[in-house]
Amino acid sequence: LITYTDALADLSPGQLEGFFVGWPDPPTAETLLRLLRSSSHAWIAVEDARVVGFVTANTDGVLTAFIPLLEVLPSHQGRGIGSELVRRMLAKLSDRYMVDLVCDEDVVPFYERLGLTPYRAMIVRRAEVLRKS
């Protein structure tokens, strides 16, 4: 049974293993815990006390929000967990004028099914920052 919560106080790094598959230098579980707790909003999906997915958002608290991360463990993908996490986050951010998200081309159809619209984005990626975290 998958449960969803935005309560993060009792999380531990041991519950956050296995994410960021394919990243060149993935953040540690300790860094992920800091990331979740430092985000303006975060939802997690939990199964048997293990986090199997999460989504984060940061906002100015007035007009804008940005969803930087959605991750579901490879063993749990295709079960609707990511969709549910995004739906919950979009509901949490429903009072924002704009909610932005940058994604790879191959997942555009996933986000379109959830009501997001393709748009242009500009980005900077600094792999050296990952190694410092």
Side-chain angles (χ1 to χ4, degrees):
L1 175 68
I2 306 291
T3 59
Y4 299 89
T5 183
D6 59 356
L8 308 176
D10 294 331
L11 275 182
S12 70
Q15 295 172 277
L16 299 170
E17 299 291 336
F19 291 102
F20 301 106
V21 173
W23 283 46
D25 196 5
T28 64
E30 291 78 11
T31 298
L32 175 53
L33 181 58
R34 282 191 358 250
L35 180 151
L36 289 169
R37 289 184 175 161
S38 297
S39 297
S40 300
H41 304 289
W43 279 94
I44 58 173
V46 180
E47 181 180 60
D48 298 325
R50 180 178 184 201
V51 176
V52 297
F54 68 88
V55 64
T56 62
N58 289 300
T59 176
D60 61 15
V62 182
L63 294 178
T64 67
F66 177 67
I67 298 175
L69 292 171
L70 169 66
E71 289 275 328
V72 176
L73 293 177
S75 60
H76 286 70
Q77 292 175 4
R79 295 171 49 185
I81 295 168
S83 296
E84 183 62 23
L85 287 166
V86 172
R87 278 193 287 274
R88 287 171 183 259
M89 187 60 76
L90 290 174
K92 183 79 169 177
L93 301 171
S94 64
D95 62 342
R96 299 295 182 265
Y97 165 70
M98 61 190 211
V99 177
D100 296 340
L101 177 146
V102 177
C103 65
D104 293 332
E105 190 67 31
D106 62 323
V107 291
V108 167
F110 168 81
Y111 288 110
E112 284 181 314
R113 285 192 302 273
L114 295 169
L116 285 87
T117 303
Y119 206 74
R120 290 185 183 264
M122 304 301 290
I123 65 170
V124 173
R125 295 286 190 266
R126 295 184 178 102
E128 69 276 9
V129 173
L130 284 175
R131 287 185 281 282
K132 293 178 186 174
S133 58

